[in-house]
Amino acid sequence: LRQGADCVVDVQPVRWEDIGGLDQVKKKIRQAVEWPLLYPDAYQRMGLPLARGVLLYGPPGCGKTRLVRAAASAIHVTFLSLSCAQVYSPFVGDSEQKVVEAFQKARALAPSILFLDEIDAIVGKRSEASSGHSVQERVLSTLLNEMDGVGTRLDEKTSSKEISEKELEGNPSVCQPHLNKKVATKEVRDRSHVLVVAATNRLDMVDDALLRPGRMDHLIYVPPPDRKARQKILEVHSQQMRMVGVDMSQIAADTEGYSGADLENICREAALCALTESLDADFIGPAHFQHALDTVKPSLNMNETW
Ligand code: ATP
């Protein structure tokens, strides 16, 4: 992970099999995120415009970020992320500049995914009473301009070579297929394409302008895990643990309202509980999981809509 002044180039690979459940969502994401980056020629042949944006929405801690990372890892494109904390600055004009720089970097390192987490906090929603001059509104307007120009501008100040060398300095693990041919298994043909993937827990707080076709072309709902998905998530996060007598299917049944992040916590808490009993412990049993269930509370309110 490399932290720059403006955004982060993320290199931690995630495999599709490290995501429990969500089979339908994975399919949709593969199509919406991977296809435009992998098969631009096919889109052109069919007269389809390349998607510029994908918006994932759904409850917190249920795998939105992990899904995007898995897509980026699978096709070996650059993954950059920009959060609200990185955008906002007390200096006038600085926030808009951060967005511009993130796009410049994403284009220079294309094909790439620029991930905007908590997009509602980054750009918010304009109200009828708003003047159009707040920082959030200026950031929104910068983002819209950049998205409208994604993949078509060639006038970048920083050349791909300069950025690549800067980014890669001391960081051989940055995943870029055109620079590190060994890791690329599929050919990524359109090097200029930047796909914006945004995530939110509050779809109602995202400005309509972002949802127009040509901007966020796909809206994908990432739901809370059902029983089957919860079991898969528990299995993913306990695969390195030695367990004796633990019935994961029962734990999955008992964890309605738990997010993926909560389930990961349960596995960690159960292992810690075993170690707390004895530092020589070499397995985790049902009592440790019971303790974890008593300790970790579900974070999702299943009556809420996201
Ligand atoms: P937020 O909206 O709060 O940003 P998110 O939806 O982006 O959350 P992630 O950051 O992807 O959620 O996941 C949070 C944690 O929960 C991660 O550590 C991830 O490992 C785990 N997790 C969530 N869903 C799954 C899943 N389906 N399979 C495996 N792990 C999961």
Side-chain angles (χ1 to χ4, degrees):
L1 199 77
R2 276 176 67 80
Q3 178 95 43
D6 46 0
C7 61
V8 170
V9 177
D10 193 321
V11 294
Q12 286 169 342
V14 173
R15 299 169 310 163
W16 284 114
E17 58 267 34
D18 294 333
I19 299 174
L22 299 174
D23 293 341
Q24 288 308 315
V25 177
K26 283 184 203 170
K27 267 192 204 148
K28 284 188 195 163
I29 289 182
R30 293 194 90 140
Q31 183 168 353
V33 176
E34 294 186 5
W35 287 11
L37 292 163
L38 278 178
Y39 312 117
D41 296 353
Y43 276 67
Q44 202 179 12
R45 203 168 53 245
M46 301 309 283
L48 278 173
L50 282 184
R52 291 179 177 179
V54 175
L55 179 63
L56 307 185
Y57 67 100
C62 287
K64 295 183 292 297
T65 309
R66 204 170 167 94
L67 285 158
V68 189
R69 285 213 171 105
S73 308
I75 56 170
H76 304 286
V77 297
T78 310
F79 178 87
L80 301 103
S81 67
L82 190 62
S83 67
C84 188
Q86 287 159 327
V87 170
Y88 283 95
S89 149
F91 302 106
V92 177
D94 227 27
S95 303
E96 298 93 303
Q97 186 56 26
K98 297 259 171 63
V99 174
V100 171
E101 284 169 11
F103 274 88
Q104 283 178 344
K105 192 184 263 188
R107 287 191 197 104
L109 298 174
S112 54
I113 291 173
L114 177 56
F115 180 58
L116 306 176
D117 200 7
E118 294 183 70
I119 186 78
D120 50 294
I122 298 179
V123 298
K125 188 171 188 142
R126 285 167 295 186
S127 66
E128 275 170 25
S130 63
S131 61
H133 298 301
S134 74
V135 188
Q136 260 202 339
E137 285 170 85
R138 291 199 311 265
V139 168
L140 171 63
S141 135
T142 309
L143 175 62
L144 296 176
N145 283 341
E146 290 294 331
M147 283 193 76
D148 291 346
V150 159
T152 57
R153 286 169 34 169
L154 299 169
D155 60 337
E156 298 310 330
K157 285 184 211 128
T158 319
S159 75
S160 170
K161 189 160 176 287
E162 279 167 37
I163 289 229
S164 308
E165 281 168 2
K166 242 186 277 166
E167 284 304 326
L168 289 172
E169 204 177 297
N171 185 19
S173 54
V174 170
C175 182
Q176 291 174 278
H178 47 294
L179 295 163
N180 183 0
K181 298 210 166 50
K182 275 188 220 147
V183 297
T185 52
K186 289 181 191 173
E187 191 190 0
V188 178
R189 278 176 284 178
D190 184 357
R191 291 192 177 175
S192 65
H193 198 52
V194 174
L195 186 69
V196 174
V197 183
T200 181
N201 306 321
R202 296 288 314 269
L203 185 59
D204 58 321
M205 293 305 290
V206 176
D207 197 280
D208 292 342
L210 255 182
L211 305 179
R212 280 190 208 124
R215 274 129 183 202
M216 292 299 166
D217 298 287
H218 299 273
L219 256 64
I220 300 178
Y221 177 54
V222 181
D226 60 14
R227 178 181 172 162
K228 213 170 116 201
R230 291 197 296 273
Q231 182 167 346
K232 287 265 175 13
I233 296 171
L234 288 162
E235 284 163 7
V236 165
H237 289 291
S238 61
Q239 63 192 345
Q240 307 290 338
M241 300 176 176
R242 198 165 103 76
M243 292 182 294
V244 176
V246 176
D247 181 355
M248 278 305 185
S249 111
Q250 188 54 50
I251 298 174
D254 294 341
T255 44
E256 162 109 5
Y258 284 73
S259 67
D262 299 334
L263 297 167
E264 186 179 2
N265 261 341
I266 284 182
C267 294
R268 198 178 309 126
E269 195 62 41
L272 278 176
C273 174
L275 277 185
T276 308
E277 267 176 27
S278 161
L279 277 175
D280 293 326
D282 64 354
F283 72 90
I284 305 164
H288 305 125
F289 269 93
Q290 190 51 57
H291 170 85
L293 283 170
D294 296 339
T295 312
V296 180
K297 297 294 168 210
S299 62
L300 305 178
N301 172 358
M302 300 304 279
N303 296 321
E304 207 174 312
T305 47
W306 292 277

